């Protein structure tokens, strides 16, 4: 059977591409290797699906450190506000939460997936699940179709590759598209985990004494060898049994990966300021004031609430301040030491969890070889890319799904136009 457009992959980018192509009244086939469509979408945002983000476009680009600037051009065609209007048109009301994050009012990711599936049905898109694609069929000049793993071949005038990256392969994203892209003449940049927890060999991590401790709105930095910060994020963070996690750490993770690569795999220093509105001097003043206000009180009680208790006790130990000592015992020197620990505690991290456990894949099909206004390959006629297979990666917070939906819409729309030429 012949199609105008084949879309490979039923994640957010592929679903959107198939819908956009279907809206052009084309004969469209969506091929998905899994039993279900939108498996990763259904678990995103903690199962609530962080569909998009309502921050202004400049801010969205800033939150996509992996080639976010490439999206300026696609955003002039289709952007986050279009996504919101699209879902509301499908009957999925969205609500805004902190940092511009948009979720379905129902808090159910499955509602988002179901709405996309109903729209595919309404538009008459053919959908085949449990149908893995083995390769793209192409001539020197253009795409002609796909070969399925079953050996069957299906012809099409245009093919949209929306098979995702390599993160969380249980959802179907197993990196199948990278060799296809290379065979079509594309460059695939190095792949690495992003938005991923960090590993540490520090004794206090190995002893698990801080496991489960969360620091709210801490300032977390990744340091260069010379001690200067490469990046700082002020968000929550978490100590785990293997290292560090939580939003601030996930955002820092790709910078750790890159710095380690630069330094031949050597461990990288992270800095934590649990009291970001203070520096070492103002924190010292605060500690002294609280200690001297009631010099008979045990210091750990006098300083209660400055930072979480487990963190305070740990840092007091680091600063060699006896837990039982009182304000009367406190020297300036020890108070200064503790102020330093609170505002710039340093620790080494020596890796990340693997790509399979990352939220997002770093690297992918080079954006230099894709037309930003159409998502068309610059190497092969009729070939389109969208979603996480591209070398685009954002922080969690709806930025990756936004990128997938926007590039998916544009790829599907342009593949449909191309197929009619
Ligand atoms: C736990 C988790 C939470 C996340 N939370 C957020 C969040 O809050 N905000 C955010 O912006 N991003 C989040 N992300 C990232 C976001 O979900 C992805 O970036 C996004 O799903 C990528 O969309 P995609 O369509 O490109 O690929 P995918 O969603 O990976 O979909 C690709 C599809 O292609 C199919 N496929 C693969 N190979 C083949 C083949 N050979 N033949 C046929 N089909 C194939 C797969 O089965 C899959 O269904 C999260 C990711 C995870 C893992």
């Amino acid at each position: 059977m012949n199609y105008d457009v084949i879309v490979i992959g039923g994640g957010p980018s592929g679903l959107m591409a198939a819908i956009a192509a279907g809206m052009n009244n084309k004969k469209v086939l969506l091929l998905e290797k899994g039993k279900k469509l939108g498996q990763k979408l259904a678990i995103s945002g903690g199962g609530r699906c962080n569909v998009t983000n309502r921050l202004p476009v400049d801010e969205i680009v800033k939150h996509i450190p992996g080639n976010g600037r490439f999206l300026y051009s696609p955003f002039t065609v289709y952007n986050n506000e279009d996504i919101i209007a699209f879902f509301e048109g499908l009957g999925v009301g969205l609500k805004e939460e902190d940092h511009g994050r948009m979720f379905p009012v129902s808090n159910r990711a499955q509602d988002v997936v179901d709405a996309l599936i109903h729209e595919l049905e309404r538009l008459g898109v053919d959908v085949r699940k449990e149908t893995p694609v083995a390769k793209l069929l192409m001539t020197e000049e253009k795409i002609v179709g796909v070969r399925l793993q079953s050996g069957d071949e299906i012809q099409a005038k245009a093919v949209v590759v929306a098979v995702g990256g390599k993160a969380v392969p249980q959802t179907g994203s197993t990196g199948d598209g990278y060799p296809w892209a290379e065979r079509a003449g594309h460059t695939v940049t190095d792949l690495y985990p992003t938005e991923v927890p960090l590993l540490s060999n520090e004794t206090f991590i190995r002893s698990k004494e801080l496991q489960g401790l969360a620091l709210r709105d801490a300032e977390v930095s990744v340091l260069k060898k010379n001690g200067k910060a490469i990046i700082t994020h002020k968000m929550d963070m978490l100590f785990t049994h293997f290292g560090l996690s939580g939003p601030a750490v996930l955002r820092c993770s790709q910078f750790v990966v890159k710095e380690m690569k630069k330094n031949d795999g050597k461990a990288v220093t992270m800095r934590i300021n649990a009291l970001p509105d203070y520096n070492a001097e103002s924190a010292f003043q605060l500690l002294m004031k609280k200690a001297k206000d009631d010099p008979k009180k045990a210091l750990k009680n006098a300083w209660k609430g400055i930072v979480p208790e487990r963190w305070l006790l740990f840092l007091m130990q680091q600063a060699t301040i006896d837990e039982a000592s009182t304000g009367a015992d406190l020297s300036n020197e020890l108070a200064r030491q503790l102020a330093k620990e609170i505002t710039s505690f340093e620790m080494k991290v020596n890796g990340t969890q693997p790509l399979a456990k990352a939220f997002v894949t770093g690297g992918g099909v080079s954006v230099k070889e894709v037309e930003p206004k159409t998502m068309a390959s610059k190497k092969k006629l009729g070939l389109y890319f969208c979603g996480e297979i591209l070398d685009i990666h954002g922080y969690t917070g709806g930025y990756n799904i936004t990128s997938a939906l926007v590039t998916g819409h544009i790829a599907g729309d342009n593949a449909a136009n191309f197929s009619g030429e």
Side-chain angles (χ1 to χ4, degrees), residues 16 32 59 113 140 184 188 281 338 341 382 394 415:
M16 203 64 172
E32 164 57 48
E59 280 300 310
V113 177
E140 256 320 287
V188 174
E281 180 55 33
L338 180 62
E341 299 287 352

Side-chain angles (χ1 to χ4, degrees), residues 10 15 30 32 35-39 110 113 117 120 127 129:
L15 291 166
L30 173 65
E32 164 57 48
K35 280 195 180 127
K36 284 188 193 164
L37 297 171
Q39 282 213 67
Q110 196 57 43
V113 177
I117 294 172
L120 284 176
V127 177
K129 292 184 261 183

